[in-house]
Amino acid sequence: MMHNTQLALGLLAATLMVAALSACAPATMPTAGPVCDPVAAKGMALKDHCLTCHSMTKQKGGPSFKAVAMKYRGNANAEANLYGHLTSDNLARMPDGETGYHKCIVKENPEKIRNMVRWILAQ
Ligand code: HEC
């Protein structure tokens, strides 16, 4: 009996450690930033072709995700704003100078979208 409880606690501790390791900020450098799963977020950004127009650090067709994170730093509505940006029809000034609709991913899983938004804001 006792043994099983210890095993369960061990598993719980291991799960918590894995969760901590997948945070956006490296475990050795704690920040007040939001926690997300960067691997899943980047996978979604690739799948949804976000990285065709966005780079992490360089201005491409669209602003770099680092620039977006800087723009929203300290903004309490950042997550909600970007969630809205990605799930509704938004006019954006495209690289060719034309105005077009920004990519809308409203059909994706809301939790996954939120995760990607937190990842962008953590750059
Ligand atoms: C066809 C090119 C293109 C694609 C594909 C694209 N974007 Fe963008 N994105 C832009 C442009 C251009 C802007 C700047 C819009 C403006 O300033 O009017 C922008 C702006 C943004 C912003 C900043 C919004 C703000 O409020 O400042 C975020 C965040 C963003 N995109 C995320 C994404 C994500 C995530 C995806 C994939 C689901 C994606 N984009 C796909 C071109 C693109």
Side-chain angles (χ1 to χ4, degrees):
M1 256 333 219
M2 192 63 175
H3 203 75
N4 277 344
T5 312
Q6 278 175 351
L7 186 66
L9 284 175
L11 280 175
L12 182 66
T15 310
L16 288 175
M17 267 170 72
V18 169
L21 283 174
S22 63
C24 260
T28 48
M29 200 180 72
T31 68
V35 172
C36 71
D37 176 347
V39 176
K42 187 154 193 184
M44 188 177 192
L46 280 167
K47 179 177 87 67
D48 286 327
H49 308 292
C50 313
L51 301 181
T52 312
C53 298
H54 296 279
S55 135
M56 303 319 291
T57 53
K58 294 197 180 67
Q59 170 78 26
K60 236 178 163 179
S64 75
F65 286 159
K66 196 174 188 71
V68 174
M70 275 167 71
K71 171 183 162 187
Y72 281 100
R73 200 139 289 164
N75 181 340
N77 296 322
E79 202 175 313
N81 273 4
L82 291 191
Y83 189 92
H85 174 82
L86 293 172
T87 53
S88 53
D89 283 334
N90 266 293
L91 285 173
R93 184 164 251 283
M94 289 301 162
D96 57 7
E98 297 287 321
T99 300
Y101 282 113
H102 189 271
K103 177 134 182 128
C104 174
I105 51 169
V106 70
K107 294 206 174 87
E108 295 279 12
N109 174 303
E111 255 326 298
K112 289 186 181 164
I113 299 175
R114 262 191 285 277
N115 180 57
M116 183 165 66
V117 164
R118 285 196 286 262
W119 172 69
I120 291 170
L121 291 171
Q123 299 309 309

